[in-house]
Amino acid sequence: MMRWLLWSLSLLIALPLWGGEVDELVQKRESLKSEVERLNNQISQVDSLTAQETSRFQLLQSRHTQDQQRRSAEIAELDQKIRDALKKQEVERSRQNSFVAKGDEITRRHQYILTKLKEQCHHLESLISSTIPWEREERLERTRSLCRDLEAESPTAEEGFSRLSALLAEEVRFGDEIALVRGTIVRNDGETVNATILRLGNQSMLYMDDQEKKFGILDRVDNSKNGEEWRWREELSFTERDAVRRALEVKGTRRPPELVVLTIGTLLQRPADEANSSEEVTP
């Protein structure tokens, strides 16, 4: 009994002291609760920010992935365009090389044609120089003019061919033509006489003066100093003079057409035993 009283008395004495500690503990608890709430709020904010950053990171990562895919597609497309451009460039280069080769071939053929035209022009000049002296200087000058132009390569191949063809056609016509004209003749002795002249293409000429006393046939003779040249053969036999007269009359329509045999020279070189062979000419 006494113990219980002592214990009750001590409890009554300690109650005021315990009440203060409890209040202090309650305050600490409330303070801790506030601190916990504050920390929880901060944690929530941090979690929210983390979620936002994570979402933003995922969005940026998605955009980055899409951008990489887009750029990869663009790069692949550009690579394909580059390959296509290189192929086109190669085709174009091949085509240009083909054009260059064709141009070189055209140039080579053009030069070859010009070379042949020059050769033919000089050959024609040589032929005209050896023909009968009938407008020969005028014919030579036309031919030499073309030769000079071809040497200077001033005309095109087409123009040169056209001009040469015209000169050849003119010479062919000249060679086929039998012409009768009135003119003056300088005989071998230097005498000038009025005569009727018959030109037999580019093969020969013959003449008879107005008094029908002087005759001549133009022949090509061999001159040891100057080579071959044209000279009048004026010492004719009666048969030859009669043939010249009849040829002139036939061409002048004073006699019906008939076959007249004339002994004339030839434009082409022949052996000596054929140099004075007879040819039949029908004016």
Side-chain angles (χ1 to χ4, degrees):
M1 186 67 176
M2 189 61 134
R3 286 182 180 177
W4 185 83
L5 289 174
L6 291 173
W7 182 80
S8 298
L9 181 61
S10 60
L11 180 62
L12 289 175
I13 294 172
L15 281 175
L17 296 174
W18 290 358
E21 291 178 359
V22 169
D23 291 338
E24 184 178 355
L25 292 174
V26 170
Q27 290 178 358
K28 287 182 178 180
R29 187 190 65 178
E30 295 297 327
S31 175
L32 290 174
K33 287 176 64 177
S34 299
E35 184 67 20
V36 168
E37 289 179 358
R38 185 179 65 79
L39 292 175
N40 287 335
N41 290 334
Q42 290 180 352
I43 291 171
S44 298
Q45 292 177 358
V46 170
D47 290 341
S48 177
L49 291 174
T50 302
Q52 292 177 1
E53 289 297 326
T54 301
S55 176
R56 182 170 177 273
F57 172 76
Q58 292 175 349
L59 178 61
L60 291 176
Q61 189 176 26
S62 175
R63 289 180 179 177
H64 176 69
T65 302
Q66 293 176 357
D67 187 64
Q68 279 187 330
Q69 293 175 350
R70 179 178 58 81
R71 291 183 181 277
S72 297
E74 290 178 351
I75 291 173
E77 183 180 0
L78 289 175
D79 288 341
Q80 185 61 41
K81 288 182 178 180
I82 290 173
R83 287 192 293 269
D84 294 341
L86 289 175
K87 289 181 180 179
K88 290 181 180 180
Q89 186 179 19
E90 186 64 27
V91 172
E92 182 66 22
R93 184 181 295 109
S94 176
R95 190 165 64 93
Q96 289 179 356
N97 291 336
S98 176
F99 287 156
V100 170
K102 289 180 180 179
D104 292 340
E105 178 65 16
I106 291 173
T107 301
R108 187 186 65 80
R109 292 185 180 183
H110 180 78
Q111 290 299 124
Y112 176 79
I113 292 173
L114 284 178
T115 300
K116 289 300 179 182
L117 288 176
K118 294 174 189 177
E119 293 176 359
Q120 294 301 318
C121 187
H122 288 299
H123 181 63
L124 178 60
E125 179 185 1
S126 176
L127 288 178
I128 294 175
S129 299
S130 64
T131 59
I132 60 176
W134 182 286
E135 299 178 351
R136 187 164 58 189
E137 291 304 318
E138 292 82 353
R139 292 155 53 211
L140 279 174
E141 180 54 33
R142 289 192 293 269
T143 305
R144 287 167 179 166
S145 175
L146 174 59
C147 290
R148 288 193 297 269
D149 291 343
L150 290 174
E151 291 293 342
E153 297 186 358
S154 55
T156 62
E158 292 79 4
E159 181 184 353
F161 178 78
S162 177
R163 290 173 60 184
L164 182 60
S165 297
L167 290 177
L168 289 172
E170 182 179 346
E171 287 302 314
V172 169
R173 179 192 59 78
F174 178 81
D176 292 340
E177 184 181 48
I178 297 178
L180 183 68
V181 297
R182 291 278 303 163
T184 58
I185 289 294
V186 179
R187 290 167 55 84
N188 292 336
D189 59 4
E191 180 185 4
T192 301
V193 297
N194 294 321
T196 303
I197 307 167
L198 179 65
R199 177 173 64 82
L200 304 176
N202 57 10
Q203 300 296 309
S204 183
M205 292 193 298
L206 48 90
Y207 75 88
M208 179 180 68
D209 71 344
D210 293 343
Q211 288 75 34
E212 299 184 6
K213 294 181 179 180
K214 298 176 180 178
F215 300 84
I217 297 177
L218 190 64
D219 285 341
R220 171 181 277 182
V221 297
D222 186 12
N223 188 319
S224 58
K225 293 183 178 180
N226 301 323
E228 292 185 344
E229 63 180 12
W230 292 94
R231 183 178 300 173
W232 290 109
R233 179 162 52 89
E234 297 170 340
E235 300 298 328
L236 304 180
S237 65
F238 175 79
T239 302
E240 290 176 324
R241 291 197 301 271
D242 182 64
V244 170
R245 181 185 293 106
R246 285 189 295 116
L248 293 170
E249 289 176 352
V250 168
K251 182 59 180 176
T253 67
R254 290 184 294 168
R255 178 188 290 266
E258 62 177 279
L259 189 64
V260 179
V261 178
L262 294 170
T263 303
I264 62 175
T266 177
L267 178 62
L268 300 177
Q269 294 184 358
R270 295 185 179 179
D273 56 346
E274 297 181 18
N276 295 320
S277 62
S278 297
E279 297 184 7
E280 293 185 353
V281 179
T282 304

